[in-house]
Amino acid sequence: SQPWINIPSSQGSAEVFLVFLQQGIEHILFGLDHLLFVAALMLLVRDWRMLVKTITAFTVAHSITLSLATFKVVVPATAPVEAMIALSIVLAASEAIRVEQGRSSLATQWPWVVAFAFGLLHGFGFAGALIQLGLPPDDVPLALLAFNVGVEIGQLLFVGVILAVVFAARSIFTIPRRAPVAAAYAIGAVAALWSVERIHTILW
């Protein structure tokens, strides 16, 4: 119905902010690997105060590496980063299972430290998507800020939806005690498959 597109010669700051804000939200909501990592963190951390601290650590960490990669201070290879992101999900899921088994580890005692460490890795993944969008030369800091804010909004929306679904489910029926373990195994299985596929891509 409209076989053409109007491309403006330049974009104002408000337009740049809105475009990259939307792209950040879409990237996190359609980035299943990042969402599964956040879901694994939610299974790992049951205390809401520690969950806030853990999610904040993840946010701060990926903001750091997102900025470093965007300004080309550090530019890692994409394929190894994607493989390590998948492996980080496997680790987070396995630690969530350890919690259910009553076993202790660094991740169970200091989940925010683990979230920060892997958040640095996930930031490089976000940066790859941001760079592919094509940054406006005169508004790189603004685009970076908007994209990062969009990622955080999408992340908070995901956490909110998960909590709302769990709360609604509990009001209707009793959630099986082993449900968190089953969820962790499901997340870990998917991430393990991704790990094999991505490592295979690197080696062959």
Side-chain angles (χ1 to χ4, degrees), residues 140-154:
V140 173
L142 180 63
L144 174 62
L145 173 64
F147 186 82
N148 206 37
V149 170
V151 168
E152 299 321 311
I153 291 174

Side-chain angles (χ1 to χ4, degrees), residues 28 31-43 58 85-86 88-90 92-93 122 158 162 183-184 186-192 194:
I28 188 66
L32 188 55
D33 49 358
H34 300 299
L35 293 182
L36 286 186
F37 183 77
V38 173
L41 289 180
M42 294 177 71
L43 291 172
F58 180 65
I85 286 175
S88 73
I89 303 169
V90 175
H122 284 248
F158 175 72
I162 293 297
I187 291 172
V190 172
W194 287 340

Side-chain angles (χ1 to χ4, degrees), residues 75-129:
V75 186
T78 301
V81 167
E82 293 299 324
M84 293 178 68
I85 286 175
L87 289 171
S88 73
I89 303 169
V90 175
L91 176 61
S94 66
E95 290 301 311
I97 294 171
R98 289 171 68 92
V99 168
E100 287 298 318
Q101 295 173 340
R103 299 161 64 189
S104 180
S105 68
L106 174 64
T108 57
Q109 294 180 348
W110 303 92
W112 65 272
V113 174
V114 175
F116 184 87
F118 286 121
L120 294 173
L121 188 62
H122 284 248
F124 287 125
F126 290 136

Side-chain angles (χ1 to χ4, degrees), residues 1-2 26 33 106 113 132 139 142 145 172 174 176 183 199 201:
S1 61
Q2 181 180 310
E26 290 181 359
D33 49 358
L106 174 64
V113 174
Q132 287 179 0
D139 287 306
L142 180 63
L145 173 64
I172 299 173
T174 301
I199 292 173
T201 300

